[in-house]
Amino acid sequence: MTTYILRRLLTVIPTLLGVLLAVFLMVRLAPGDPAQLLAGEFATPETLADIRQRFGLDQPWYTQLGLYTLNVFRGDLGESVRTRKPVTYELSQYFPNTLRLTLGAMLVALLIGIPAGIIAAIRPGTIFDLLAMLGALIGVSMPVFWFGLMAILIFSVQLGWFPVAGTGTLRHLILPAITLGIGTAAILARMTRSAMLEVLSQDYIRTARAKGVAGRVVIFKHALRNALIPVVTIAGLQFGGLLEGAVITETVFAWPGIGQLLVGSILARDYPVVQGAVLLIAVAFILINLIVDLLYGAIDPRIRYD
Amino acid sequence: MTKPVANTSTPTRREPPRWRRRLLRSPLAITGFVFIGVFVLVAAFAPFISPYSPVEQNLRGTYVPPMRVELRGPQGQPGLWVREVSRTPLGQLEVGQELYPIRFFVRGEPWVWWGGLLRSDLHLFGVDGPIKFYLLGADEQGRDILSRLAHGAWISLSIGLIAVTIGLLVGVPVGLFSGYFGGTFDLITQRIVEVMLSFPGILLAIVLVATLGTGLTNVMIAVGIAAIPVYARLVRGSVLALRDREFVEASRALGSRDLRIMLRHILPNALSPIIVQSSLQMAVAILFAAGLGFLGLGARPPEPEWGLMLARGREYLATAPHVATFPGLAIMFVALGFNLLGDALRDALDPRALR
């Protein structure tokens, strides 16, 4: 187990370095002078010279890469072109909101997806199954931004139950969390259903039924507990995927998170912030997947790492 | 050695393969086919289906809601009839008194399609009279939403096809080689795939667009590149499972070259998951492109791209909800079509796999 953890930790390092390289290349491969991109359109010659010096832009690319890596590990991601504040400061302002949104969305996904999958699995082929699975398919096909807009239209504009946009209270969180979570709920419903069907066809379920265990007990105690293992893993991996959906959901609801920061920065050509936001999302994604992977062994005692 | 036994079921030669029969019997597959069929037809004949040009503005038609079609004419005669709906200079909606008939296969604005291969002035339907007929309403510049949706279908179809082609052309060979040969090539490509997959979902496309710049061409490239790691992973996994099978060994023992083994023996056996993935990937590509358009990182105005149309509609959601509603429905039905087909293909090609 310990060797597995160590090995798994080691495999993350090349990926993290690769992500760093990709983010580094973003600015170098983009058309235009990297110094200009990092300093902004209206930078003074002094700022340009300062940027060139700080990021070593007049030096060969490997020195630049080394310098960039060093700066990242020191926590220096440069300065926002728009606000002239450190990128790390900007990220720290926006990231907690994204975290709150993704956590809310995950809660929504679990509360909708798992029950829907269970209902579909215990009555396969019935109208419940069909409705749940069709709903799940529509859930993965629906553009997040459109669902969000329709939710705003119905629940905010027409019914006035929730605020149209913004953040602060729990009421602000509900619509964005549902919007972001619905796609994941669909995936979890499908996963839960197939895992439950698989488990329900096992011999020990038949044995339990044969010895007269009540149906509900069989479903929840014998079947569900085993079926949930793969579902929990998928849920964990989907958590990283929610970060991606957050980019769009935040734009729909004007939710001041990292996604909105990213999109706004791309449109404003604020490259230092773009780099920082991309780096943060990718690193968060990698780390979440790592943690899920490691927890997997803890949840399922059958998994042995050797 | 046992003698070869005559097949008891004696299949006739003309019988279609079993997976095709399974596919055509599945209601989900049929639904998917219908959605995709309508989408492709609308995309292919967009100017014929749309009554107007997708960029033609009309100051008297801003935010005109979907028009009501009457089934009875002025004297009670049957048919399809509409009243003029227009906006007064003060911004009020004004509904005319007179009814005008809707006719099918009418002559109207001339159009050129497929780079000049197809020219005509025939339209599927049009109104007989000096008014504009907005079946799905008009947008902020008085442009016909139906016409824009039809032309947008062409954009979405192109993006989907080009992106999936890029993913296939690069991802499949990479997966094939890295799975078959292993070694350094495998190690390097797998690291690159891992890095690409570290940018979850649409984020990879966003990163690429941020680097390449916005615009439709770059969206196609970005969404295509985002599909590469998916295919590379998928094919590599299949190849690893097939590489040491007996029929591959047999072919190798007969002196086949590696390339021949890969193309003649391994690839055909790895085809099912590739086909399934391509259908699902079409849905993903279309959703990604629309997402980029919505964020303002994709198509640029006045392009009738669905995501962009939706983004414009967002600003006037309360007063003119139809502007955002229809492009969203279009995206959803197309993505649903490809997802349904992909699911049905998976069931048909591999009946053991549970959904």
Side-chain angles (χ1 to χ4, degrees):
Chain A
M1 187 74 192
T2 330
T3 38
Y4 173 79
I5 293 175
L6 279 176
R7 249 205 342 246
R8 187 68 184 77
L9 284 173
L10 283 177
T11 57
V12 166
I13 293 171
T15 316
L16 283 174
L17 290 177
V19 165
L20 202 63
L21 177 67
V23 171
F24 168 79
L25 284 176
M26 262 181 84
V27 168
R28 270 71 184 177
L29 293 180
D33 174 17
Q36 195 81 57
L37 291 179
L38 290 173
E41 233 174 299
F42 308 107
T44 58
E46 291 80 54
T47 329
L48 275 178
D50 176 51
I51 292 273
R52 280 214 178 82
Q53 218 252 317
R54 239 174 81 200
F55 291 93
L57 292 176
D58 41 7
Q59 291 175 40
W61 65 271
Y62 44 85
T63 320
Q64 292 183 32
L65 178 60
L67 212 56
Y68 180 70
T69 315
L70 206 66
N71 281 337
V72 168
F73 279 103
R74 271 201 216 121
D76 176 11
L77 297 173
E79 248 168 37
S80 163
V81 171
R82 284 186 293 178
T83 62
R84 293 285 159 216
K85 291 199 178 105
V87 172
T88 38
Y89 170 79
E90 297 280 340
L91 296 178
S92 70
Q93 292 297 299
Y94 286 85
F95 195 59
N97 285 329
T98 299
L99 218 54
R100 209 170 300 143
L101 176 60
T102 25
L103 282 173
M106 185 43 89
L107 197 67
V108 170
L110 291 171
L111 288 180
I112 298 176
I114 291 180
I118 295 172
I119 292 169
I122 49 182
R123 301 255 178 282
T126 62
I127 188 82
F128 296 108
D129 184 22
L130 190 74
L131 280 180
M133 286 307 105
L134 202 64
L137 213 50
I138 291 173
V140 282
S141 307
M142 201 156 37
V144 175
F145 41 93
W146 184 68
F147 183 84
L149 287 183
M150 290 301 118
I152 293 178
L153 180 63
I154 296 169
F155 296 106
S156 302
V157 177
Q158 308 266 347
L159 298 173
W161 290 355
F162 301 104
V164 171
T167 172
T169 66
L170 188 66
R171 270 157 58 92
H172 285 97
L173 179 63
I174 291 174
L175 280 190
I178 292 176
T179 302
L180 180 56
I182 206 83
T184 307
I187 295 170
L188 289 185
R190 288 164 65 118
M191 272 302 299
T192 310
R193 177 180 179 270
S194 67
M196 277 295 278
L197 283 178
E198 174 107 43
V199 171
L200 284 173
S201 68
Q202 300 283 326
D203 289 341
Y204 63 83
I205 297 293
R206 204 183 36 199
T207 309
R209 286 199 206 278
K211 74 178 187 186
V213 178
R216 205 175 338 116
V217 180
V218 175
I219 299 287
F220 287 101
K221 215 172 151 197
H222 294 72
L224 188 61
R225 282 173 71 172
N226 287 299
L228 276 185
I229 293 168
V231 176
V232 166
T233 318
I234 294 288
L237 297 177
Q238 283 299 319
F239 192 78
L242 285 175
L243 288 172
E244 166 235 335
V247 175
I248 290 174
T249 310
E250 287 173 4
T251 307
V252 175
F253 290 93
W255 184 268
I258 205 89
Q260 222 204 356
L261 179 70
L262 172 65
V263 174
S265 302
I266 293 175
L267 291 174
R269 303 183 65 76
D270 189 347
Y271 273 85
V273 180
V274 173
Q275 281 185 308
V278 167
L279 195 64
L280 181 61
I281 298 176
V283 169
F285 183 60
I286 293 171
L287 292 183
I288 291 169
N289 285 356
L290 175 74
I291 294 168
V292 172
D293 237 26
L294 295 179
L295 283 180
Y296 192 50
I299 301 169
D300 189 351
R302 285 172 300 182
I303 306 279
R304 288 277 170 272
Y305 304 100
D306 16 54
Chain B
M1 281 282 260
T2 51
K3 273 192 203 163
V5 180
N7 199 335
T8 44
S9 61
T10 56
T12 53
R13 195 169 285 181
R14 275 195 219 101
E15 201 172 321
R18 196 174 291 168
W19 69 267
R20 205 186 301 165
R21 270 183 295 152
R22 263 200 300 263
L23 192 64
L24 293 177
R25 260 206 304 255
S26 142
L28 293 181
I30 305 289
T31 318
F33 273 129
V34 170
F35 288 175
I36 297 168
V38 170
F39 169 57
V40 171
L41 280 180
V42 169
F45 300 102
F48 166 68
I49 285 154
S50 44
Y52 305 107
S53 140
V55 288
E56 188 193 281
Q57 303 179 5
N58 174 16
L59 288 178
R60 302 257 305 176
T62 49
Y63 299 120
V64 165
M67 285 191 183
R68 207 170 117 192
V69 178
E70 308 278 348
L71 298 174
R72 295 258 169 234
Q75 272 90 49
Q77 60 273 62
L80 302 172
W81 306 77
V82 280
R83 285 194 172 86
E84 178 174 29
V85 181
S86 62
R87 211 163 273 281
T88 64
L90 289 173
Q92 238 69 41
L93 267 187
E94 198 176 51
V95 182
Q97 282 304 306
E98 204 169 337
L99 281 166
Y100 295 95
I102 295 167
R103 306 219 186 281
F104 289 92
F105 299 102
V106 291
R107 306 247 161 228
E109 289 170 48
W111 44 264
V112 181
W113 197 232
W114 297 347
L117 270 178
L118 208 60
R119 295 163 186 275
S120 172
D121 59 353
L122 195 67
H123 293 264
L124 179 62
F125 64 90
V127 64
D128 192 359
I131 65 162
K132 290 261 186 190
F133 171 43
Y134 299 117
L135 181 64
L136 301 182
D139 69 3
E140 78 275 7
Q141 298 181 19
R143 297 173 297 197
D144 179 35
I145 288 180
L146 175 67
S147 303
R148 289 178 69 71
L149 279 184
H151 284 83
W154 177 252
I155 296 178
S156 283
L157 181 65
S158 321
I159 293 178
L161 286 177
I162 290 173
V164 169
T165 309
I166 293 175
L168 280 170
L169 284 182
V170 184
V172 172
V174 165
L176 207 53
F177 276 89
S178 79
Y180 187 82
F181 290 114
T184 323
F185 181 76
D186 183 37
L187 197 74
I188 293 170
T189 51
Q190 282 314 300
R191 290 295 87 73
I192 295 173
V193 163
E194 255 159 42
V195 171
M196 288 174 91
L197 292 176
S198 304
F199 300 101
I202 200 173
L203 189 68
L204 182 57
I206 290 179
V207 168
L208 290 164
V209 165
T211 310
L212 300 167
T214 58
L216 265 185
T217 319
N218 287 339
V219 167
M220 292 179 190
I221 297 170
V223 177
I225 294 178
I228 292 174
V230 180
Y231 281 106
R233 261 280 147 90
L234 182 76
V235 175
R236 179 177 178 269
S238 305
V239 174
L240 284 180
L242 292 165
R243 194 174 57 177
D244 300 320
R245 293 274 291 274
E246 290 86 349
F247 63 91
V248 176
E249 297 271 328
S251 180
R252 196 175 290 133
L254 288 170
S256 297
R257 299 234 180 102
D258 289 328
L259 199 64
R260 187 186 156 82
I261 295 175
M262 275 192 276
L263 294 181
R264 289 293 298 274
H265 300 293
I266 293 185
L267 190 58
N269 282 296
L271 223 47
S272 301
I274 297 177
I275 293 170
V276 171
Q277 188 58 44
S278 296
S279 187
L280 301 175
Q281 202 65 38
M282 277 295 284
V284 170
I286 288 169
L287 284 173
F288 278 10
L292 289 172
F294 177 78
L295 294 175
L297 305 174
R300 280 185 286 246
E303 222 123 28
E305 198 273 321
W306 290 348
L308 186 63
M309 290 171 69
L310 235 165
R312 304 293 303 162
R314 171 176 52 161
E315 294 161 39
Y316 311 96
L317 199 59
T319 46
H322 64 278
V323 181
T325 306
F326 293 114
L329 279 175
I331 299 167
M332 191 184 82
F333 275 110
V334 169
L336 187 61
F338 284 107
N339 279 332
L340 279 170
L341 180 65
D343 265 13
L345 275 170
R346 177 173 15 213
D347 291 350
L349 292 167
D350 184 8
R352 281 159 304 167
L354 279 163
R355 249 185 295 162

